């Protein structure tokens, strides 16, 4: 019996089906309670001592989760968001990193596979990130796609100066 020849996809890239991301993260994108818990757990893992959740009152109002955790540099944000199965344990270790000057106690992080960053897709097809660390802020937009070369789009939209540290994820 003759074997079928493998033919490369255009530019040797893989293609993602429309349901890939939902299948990959499961209930994180389907259950609002789990989605919010994931966002709060991400703040916990960033060493936050404060997490502010703004819940929309009316349709079209903003939903946001912000914290005073370590924040991320542009390079850290790019690496963590663009890696499909981000491995927190390998990259950051098993323990929470606390912001400089924080009095946090040593504790294990909840997250380890990077899926929680997709939880805003439970509420909208697009969300914004602002994160700041070491005097620099980074703004990015994340958007679901309909499949193709990537299951989601990620783009840093601007950078600037900002004191302190933290991360805010928001959507309407």
């Amino acid at each position: 019996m003759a074997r079928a020849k493998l033919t490369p996809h255009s530019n040797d890239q893989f293609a993602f089906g429309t349901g890939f991301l939902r299948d990959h993260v499961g209930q994180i994108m389907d259950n609002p309670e789990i989605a919010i818990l994931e966002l709060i757990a991400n703040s916990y893992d960033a060493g936050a001592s404060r997490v502010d959740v703004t819940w929309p009152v009316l349709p079209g109002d903003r939903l946001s989760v912000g914290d005073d955790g370590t924040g991320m540099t542009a390079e850290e944000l790019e690496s963590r968001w663009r890696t499909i199965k981000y491995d927190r344990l390998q990259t950051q270790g098993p323990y929470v990193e606390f912001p400089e000057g924080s009095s946090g106690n040593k504790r294990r992080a909840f997250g380890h596979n990077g899926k929680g960053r997709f939880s805003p897709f439970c509420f909208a097809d697009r969300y914004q990130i602002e994160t700041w660390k070491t005097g620099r802020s980074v703004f990015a937009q994340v958007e679901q796609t309909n499949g193709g070369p990537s299951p989601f789009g990620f783009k840093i939209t601007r950078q600037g100066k900002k004191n302190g540290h933290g991360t805010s994820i928001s959507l309407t």
Side-chain angles (χ1 to χ4, degrees):
M1 180 178 219
R3 288 187 175 199
K5 276 190 142 182
L6 295 177
T7 57
H9 191 268
S10 63
N11 298 325
D12 292 331
Q13 292 181 346
F14 289 98
F16 292 88
T18 56
F20 172 82
L21 198 56
R22 186 168 301 283
D23 185 55
H24 176 64
V25 301
Q27 291 185 344
I28 292 170
M29 285 177 57
D30 293 331
N31 185 322
E33 292 170 355
I34 292 174
I36 290 296
L37 286 173
E38 284 289 337
L39 290 170
I40 293 169
N42 285 351
S43 297
Y44 175 91
D45 287 354
S49 61
R50 179 184 171 119
V51 179
D52 295 313
V53 178
T54 303
W55 195 258
V57 176
L58 299 171
D61 286 353
R62 189 172 259 339
L63 165 64
S64 68
V65 177
D67 66 49
D68 64 351
T70 57
M72 290 173 275
T73 65
E75 294 78 20
E76 289 168 336
L77 180 64
E78 283 261 6
S79 173
R80 293 172 190 174
W81 251 257
R82 288 190 183 276
T83 302
I84 296 291
K85 187 165 181 343
Y86 175 73
D87 187 339
R88 186 198 195 288
L89 295 175
Q90 183 181 36
T91 308
Q92 296 174 263
Y95 296 101
V96 169
E97 175 189 346
F98 292 93
E100 190 174 311
S102 172
S103 60
N105 295 322
K106 185 175 181 178
R107 65 183 188 218
R108 286 198 170 274
F110 283 123
H112 60 275
N113 59 24
K115 291 181 179 179
R117 68 195 144 136
F118 300 116
S119 60
F121 289 146
C122 181
F123 307 102
D125 291 339
R126 173 184 302 153
Y127 66 92
Q128 294 76 40
I129 305 166
E130 179 190 11
T131 187
W132 57 102
K133 181 179 185 177
T134 63
R136 302 283 305 161
S137 65
V138 183
F139 294 83
Q141 185 166 301
V142 184
E143 185 172 3
Q144 283 189 70
T145 65
N146 290 320
S150 179
F152 64 96
F154 173 88
K155 182 179 182 181
I156 290 183
T157 56
R158 73 179 194 269
Q159 297 185 49
K161 294 182 180 183
K162 186 170 184 171
N163 292 327
H165 44 80
T167 299
S168 177
I169 293 182
S170 60
L171 53 103
T172 49

